[in-house]
């Protein structure tokens, strides 16, 4: 698919998003219409560096600042779908990264609180949210593995990096009836887990398949030496 394919699209690259949704999401197992509509709305090319924007809607992860990555569109959609969001939900995201995932969630839920350990990434993400008018996202710099106690409890928690285990701090901040989605396993590869907390505070864990994320660094995750940086 060459550059000229999109040359007549003058309205924010909607044609590329429609192509992405049709070929990468609907053709697989993404069926949540709220996720689909959010992926059609949020401009992924605004969340990558200019030299990567031509690749923004392809089925691939891309490098961003601070030696981090933005996940491929399918993984972003899969994790958003796994959260089973309602429009009234308050969501905690661990690992803001470029801000794309938080932007997707912000079109589906009432309020997004997102934590990033890199000052640069947090600043850039906040600039993107402000420029696009996403006013229901709050960004904080800190150790995401500890959660955000002052804003708890959360109806849903999304962790966008792979940890050795599920942080107990996040389980504690999950509301009864809430859902937590997190990659868990080795530093090199993990399994995507969904944990549901019942109204009686019992935990139900599901394995959603193999994934590969950057390490979750923090008090309740890997330390920087273990993670290699």
């Amino acid at each position: 698919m060459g550059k000229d394919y999109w040359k007549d699209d003058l309205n924010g690259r909607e044609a590329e998003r429609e192509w992405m949704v049709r070929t990468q999401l609907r053709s697989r197992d993404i069926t949540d219409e709220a996720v689909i509509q959010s992926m059609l709305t949020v401009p992924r090319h605004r969340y990558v560096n200019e030299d990567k924007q031509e690749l923004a809607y392809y089925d691939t992860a891309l490098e961003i600042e601070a030696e981090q990555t933005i996940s491929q569109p399918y993984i972003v959609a899969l994790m958003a779908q796994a959260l089973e969001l309602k429009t009234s939900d308050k969501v905690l995201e661990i690992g803001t990264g470029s801000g794309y995932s938080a932007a997707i969630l912000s079109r589906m839920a009432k309020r997004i609180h997102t934590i990033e350990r890199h000052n640069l990434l947090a600043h850039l993400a906040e600039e993107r949210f402000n420029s696009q008018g996403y006013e229901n996202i709050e960004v904080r710099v800190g150790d995401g593995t500890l959660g955000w106690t002052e804003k708890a409890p959360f109806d849903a928690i999304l962790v966008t990096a792979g940890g050795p285990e599920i942080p107990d701090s996040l389980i504690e901040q999950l509301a009864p009836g809430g859902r937590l989605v997190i990659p868990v396993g080795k530093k090199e590869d993990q399994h995507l887990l969904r944990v549901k907390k019942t109204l009686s505070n019992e935990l139900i864990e599901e394995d959603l398949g193999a994934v590969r994320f950057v390490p979750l660094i923090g008090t309740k995750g890997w330390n920087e030496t273990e993670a290699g940086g």
Side-chain angles (χ1 to χ4, degrees):
M1 188 171 48
K3 185 183 297 185
D4 289 346
Y5 185 93
W6 311 115
K7 66 181 180 180
D8 295 326
D9 180 11
L10 304 178
N11 298 305
R13 301 174 71 170
E14 285 92 341
E16 290 177 83
R17 290 197 288 281
E18 290 171 0
W19 173 83
M20 173 188 73
V21 165
R22 183 177 69 255
T23 62
Q24 301 169 38
L25 308 186
R26 289 193 186 277
S27 64
R28 297 164 89 172
D29 54 358
I30 305 302
T31 59
D32 186 324
E33 281 302 318
V35 174
I36 295 293
Q37 290 305 313
S38 188
M39 298 290 286
L40 284 169
T41 300
V42 176
R44 189 172 188 256
H45 63 283
R46 299 299 185 195
Y47 291 84
V48 298
N49 292 332
E50 189 172 347
D51 63 346
K52 298 284 197 306
Q53 287 187 355
E54 187 177 343
L55 303 174
Y57 297 101
Y58 284 75
D59 187 27
T60 184
L62 296 171
E63 294 180 1
I64 59 171
E65 299 83 1
E67 300 182 347
Q68 301 298 297
T69 60
I70 178 174
S71 295
Q72 69 191 88
Y74 171 74
I75 291 295
V76 174
L78 177 67
M79 296 177 82
Q81 178 169 272
L83 289 174
E84 299 179 344
L85 293 177
K86 300 184 291 293
T87 56
S88 59
D89 280 348
K90 179 171 66 171
V91 181
L92 174 64
E93 179 192 46
I94 309 303
T96 312
S98 69
Y100 179 65
S101 177
I104 292 294
L105 300 178
S106 77
R107 305 301 86 193
M108 302 166 59
K110 183 176 182 178
R111 188 75 183 170
I112 311 299
H113 301 277
T114 181
I115 305 175
E116 172 55 53
R117 72 185 189 94
H118 294 284
N119 281 285
L120 173 61
L121 293 182
H123 174 71
L124 291 173
E126 206 160 26
E127 283 189 340
R128 290 166 180 143
F129 301 148
N130 290 338
S131 69
Q132 291 157 34
Y134 297 162
E135 298 178 350
N136 62 334
I137 307 174
E138 184 175 1
V139 184
R140 170 180 175 179
V141 176
D143 182 350
T145 68
L146 300 178
W148 198 330
T149 306
E150 300 86 347
K151 303 293 184 178
F154 299 96
D155 302 297
I157 299 176
L158 177 64
V159 183
T160 65
E165 59 186 9
I166 302 172
D168 54 5
S169 49
L170 300 184
I171 292 291
E172 291 169 3
Q173 294 176 37
L174 189 64
R179 294 80 58 203
L180 169 85
V181 174
I182 178 174
V184 174
K186 301 176 182 178
K187 294 186 293 294
E188 300 80 12
D189 52 78
Q190 309 89 28
H191 276 254
L192 187 63
L193 304 182
R194 175 169 57 195
V195 178
K196 293 183 177 181
K197 182 184 283 189
T198 69
L199 296 179
S200 57
N201 288 319
E202 295 180 10
L203 301 178
I204 301 173
E205 185 177 304
E206 302 170 72
D207 188 335
L208 303 180
V211 291
R212 179 174 292 183
F213 281 81
V214 297
L216 176 65
I217 296 174
T219 303
K220 302 284 187 176
W222 303 102
N223 63 47
E224 292 203 39
T225 301
E226 292 173 328

